C-alpha cells in the first residue's frame, strides 16, 4: 500500500498563501493528490516541535510562511537536525524586496488581513474554532471572544463554527465528571462564557443515534443514569462559573446562536455584524 503524501502548511497567520502555493505545485504531479494538514497561528516553538515530530514520522514536507525570525530560525534548525524537509515560501521573496527596494520588512504576521478586515477576521475565527475545539488547547479559553461549555452532544462544535462565520473567536470545552476542567475556565470572565444544557431524554436519544451511526449498540455513553450524572456535574461547574445557561433541547443552531448573542450583548459582548 502506497504511503500517503502529506504537506504540513505551517504559518503564524491563516496559512492561505502557503496552501495556494502547495496546491499549485501539487497540481503538476499526478493531479495534485496530496494531503494538506494545516498548522495555523503558530505562536511558539512547541507548535513547531509538534509538526516536526509528526513530519519525521510520515512521508511529508513542511511548507511554511513564518515572518517572525525566531520561529523561522527554530524551524530551519530543528528540521535540519531531524532530517525533515522544510521549505520557506515567503522569506526568499521578502529578502529580494529588501535588497532591491532598500526597505526593511516589518516581520509582523497577519498584516495582509488589513486588505479585507472582515473576510480575514472570519477566516481567523474559523481557524480559531478548529484549533480550540473540544478543549484541545486550554490556551484558547483566555483568547476567545466566547467560551462554550457543556456535556458531549450539546452542539458545542456546530455552534462554535456558526459563530465563527459571524467573526467570533469561540473555544469550547467538554465537561466530563472524570476529567478536571482546565484552570483557565475558572479565570475567564463569566460575561463571555455560556453553558449549554439539554434534557436527559433528548440527550439519550441523540447519543443512541450517534452510537447507531457508529455501528455500536451498547455503551455507557448513552446510558440514562450516566447522562444524569454528567448533566448534574456540568450544572455544578456552570453555577461555579456563574455563566448564563441555554437549553438547546429543541433549538436549531441558528436559534441558539441568536439567543446566545442577545444574552452576551447585555453582558457587554457586542455584535460583529
Amino acid at each position: 500500500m502506497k504511503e500517503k503524501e502529506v504537506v504540513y502548511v505551517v504559518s503564524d497567520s491563516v496559512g492561505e498563501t502557503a496552501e495556494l502555493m502547495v496546491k499549485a505545485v501539487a497540481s503538476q504531479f499526478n493531479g495534485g493528490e496530496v494531503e494538506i494538514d494545516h498548522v495555523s497561528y503558530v505562536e511558539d516553538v512547541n507548535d513547531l516541535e509538534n509538526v516536526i515530530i509528526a513530519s519525521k514520522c510520515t512521508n511529508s514536507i513542511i511548507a511554511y510562511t513564518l515572518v517572525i525570525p525566531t520561529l523561522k530560525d527554530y524551524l530551519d534548525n530543528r528540521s535540519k537536525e531531524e532530517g525533515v524537509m522544510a521549505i520557506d515560501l515567503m522569506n526568499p521573496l521578502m529578502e529580494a524586496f529588501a535588497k532591491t527596494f532598500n526597505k526593511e520588512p516589518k516581520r509582523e504576521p497577519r498584516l495582509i488581513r488589513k486588505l479585507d478586515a472582515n473576510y480575514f477576521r472570519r477566516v481567523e475565527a474559523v481557524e480559531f474554532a478548529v484549533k480550540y475545539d473540544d478543549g484541545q488547547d486550554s490556551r484558547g479559553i483566555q483568547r476567545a471572544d466566547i467560551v462554550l461549555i457543556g456535556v458531549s452532544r450539546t452542539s458545542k462544535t456546530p455552534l462554535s463554527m456558526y459563530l465563527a462565520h459571524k467573526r467570533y473567536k469561540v473555544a469550547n470545552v467538554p465537561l466530563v465528571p472524570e476529567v478536571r476542567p482546565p484552570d483557565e475556565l475558572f479565570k475567564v470572565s463569566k460575561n463571555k462564557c455560556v453553558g449549554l444544557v439539554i434534557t436527559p431524554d433528548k440527550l439519550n436519544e441523540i447519543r443512541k443515534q450517534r452510537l447507531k451511526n457508529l455501528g455500536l449498540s451498547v455503551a455507557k455513553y448513552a446510558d440514562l443514569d450516566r447522562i444524569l450524572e454528567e448533566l448534574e456535574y456540568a450544572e455544578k461547574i456552570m453555577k461555579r462559573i456563574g455563566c448564563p445557561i441555554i437549553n438547546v433541547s429543541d433549538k436549531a443552531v441558528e436559534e441558539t446562536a441568536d439567543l446566545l448573542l442577545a444574552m452576551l450583548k447585555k453582558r457587554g459582548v457586542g455584535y460583529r455584524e
Side-chain angles (χ1 to χ4, degrees):
M1 182 177 178
K2 183 181 177 182
E3 186 177 2
K4 67 178 181 180
E5 299 166 343
V6 181
V7 176
Y8 292 96
V9 170
V10 178
S11 178
D12 41 25
S13 185
V14 178
E16 281 190 325
T17 301
E19 180 181 5
L20 288 173
M21 293 183 70
V22 168
K23 286 182 176 179
V25 173
S27 67
Q28 301 296 318
F29 298 89
N30 299 323
E33 294 182 4
V34 64
E35 180 178 323
I36 297 177
D37 196 336
H38 289 268
V39 184
S40 303
Y41 301 109
V42 170
E43 299 174 341
D44 54 45
V45 297
N46 290 328
D47 293 329
L48 295 177
E49 192 63 30
N50 290 336
V51 75
I52 290 168
I53 293 172
S55 184
K56 186 177 180 180
C57 298
T58 57
N59 181 30
S60 60
I61 296 170
I62 298 174
Y64 71 89
T65 53
L66 297 172
V67 298
I68 300 175
T70 54
L71 295 179
K72 168 183 162 46
D73 292 343
Y74 184 88
L75 180 54
D76 286 341
N77 294 332
R78 285 289 292 126
S79 61
K80 287 180 181 178
E81 290 175 3
E82 297 294 340
V84 171
M85 178 69 72
I87 307 299
D88 185 344
L89 301 179
M90 180 174 288
N91 280 279
L93 182 58
M94 192 154 56
E95 290 172 3
F97 266 61
K99 182 177 181 180
T100 303
F101 304 133
N102 195 30
K103 296 180 179 180
E104 286 299 317
K106 294 181 178 180
R107 296 193 180 278
E108 297 176 16
R110 301 185 281 278
L111 290 179
I112 192 173
R113 274 177 285 171
K114 292 181 180 179
L115 298 176
D116 188 344
N118 287 337
Y119 169 75
F120 284 107
R121 194 180 297 124
R122 183 177 293 110
V123 172
E124 182 180 7
V126 170
E127 292 285 347
F128 187 96
V130 172
K131 184 171 183 177
Y132 298 113
D133 179 49
D134 204 32
Q136 294 181 77
D137 188 338
S138 60
R139 292 178 299 179
I141 294 173
Q142 293 292 340
R143 299 168 186 170
D145 296 319
I146 299 170
V147 179
L148 303 177
I149 59 174
V151 302
S152 174
R153 313 313 292 179
T154 48
S155 300
K156 296 185 300 298
T157 296
L159 186 56
S160 294
M161 296 306 299
Y162 183 86
L163 291 169
H165 280 87
K166 289 182 174 290
R167 304 188 295 280
Y168 287 92
K169 293 181 181 178
V170 184
N172 75 76
V173 180
L175 299 180
V176 183
E178 294 79 13
V179 180
R180 175 183 169 84
D183 292 338
E184 290 84 352
L185 189 59
F186 301 105
K187 298 175 184 177
V188 72
S189 169
K190 65 181 180 181
N191 290 333
K192 68 176 185 179
C193 186
V194 176
L196 304 179
V197 298
I198 189 171
T199 62
D201 289 345
K202 184 67 175 180
L203 184 55
N204 180 249
E205 177 186 329
I206 292 172
R207 289 188 175 182
K208 282 183 176 179
Q209 185 61 48
R210 174 64 173 167
L211 291 174
K212 183 178 180 181
N213 292 341
L214 294 173
L216 302 173
S217 57
V218 179
K220 187 177 180 182
Y221 179 68
D223 180 76
L224 189 56
D225 288 337
R226 170 63 182 183
I227 287 173
L228 290 170
E229 178 188 356
E230 288 186 38
L231 291 174
E232 182 180 0
Y233 171 77
E235 185 178 356
K236 288 180 181 178
I237 298 296
M238 294 171 192
K239 286 182 177 179
R240 178 179 170 185
I241 295 171
C243 63
I245 298 173
I246 297 177
N247 190 319
V248 301
S249 300
D250 297 305
K251 293 182 178 65
V253 169
E254 297 85 353
E255 184 181 359
T256 302
D258 288 343
L259 179 58
L260 181 151
L261 292 176
M263 293 170 66
L264 292 185
K265 185 179 180 182
K266 294 179 180 179
R267 290 174 170 244
V269 181
Y271 285 93
R272 294 185 186 273
E273 301 299 339

